[in-house]
Amino acid sequence: MERRRFISQAATLAAAATLPVVAARVVAQAVAAPRVIPVVARKFVFIPGEITVRKGESVVLEFTAPEVAMGFFCAELDLRALIIPGQPARVPFTPERAGRFDFICDVFCGDGHEGMQGHLQVT
Ligand SMILES: [Cu+2]
């Protein structure tokens, strides 16, 4: 009987000891998940037009274009996407330097296309 109780207590202690490990894994997964930033590309603006991210932060820019095909091109950060209506375009990246970086639409989308731009602010 004593031996059985000891084994039961040992199993309980072992289970309790693994809880912090499991909790740490859950926290690590939560920290590692990139922040998703939705961006809508419509004639002739990006919404939001100013996107702020932190240096070293993993993010995913998730573009949608409800009207016509659009483009996203940020030359300084070497980021590009073709945005087709009905097909969200995901651009994962982790900025490695701070600054203000311009981006444009690089797919002709109609009159006003030439002025379609936005800014990525990395703090
Ligand atoms: Cu355009």
Side-chain angles (χ1 to χ4, degrees):
M1 193 67 177
E2 267 314 298
R3 181 180 163 81
R4 194 171 288 167
R5 184 179 300 154
F6 173 76
I7 291 172
S8 174
Q9 287 174 345
T12 302
L13 287 173
T18 61
L19 278 178
V21 174
V22 172
R25 283 193 192 128
V26 170
V27 169
Q29 287 170 352
V31 169
R35 177 164 66 103
V36 176
I37 302 171
V39 183
V40 178
R42 60 168 57 243
K43 295 180 177 181
F44 296 95
V45 293
F46 290 98
I47 304 166
E50 180 94 22
I51 301 167
T52 302
V53 299
R54 294 187 309 275
K55 181 180 160 187
E57 175 188 21
S58 292
V59 298
V60 175
L61 302 177
E62 190 172 78
F63 292 94
T64 53
E67 299 163 329
V68 297
M70 300 278 184
F72 164 77
F73 180 47
C74 182
E76 290 176 279
L77 297 176
D78 196 26
L79 301 173
R80 175 171 256 157
L82 173 62
I83 315 159
I84 305 291
Q87 300 176 25
R90 294 169 62 87
V91 178
F93 80 108
T94 304
E96 294 171 358
R97 59 192 168 106
R100 181 177 169 85
F101 308 98
D102 299 334
F103 60 85
I104 60 168
C105 172
D106 65 344
V107 172
F108 182 76
C109 52
D111 294 341
H113 159 77
E114 295 301 327
M116 189 170 167
Q117 62 177 327
H119 308 281
L120 258 169
Q121 184 76 43
V122 182
T123 59

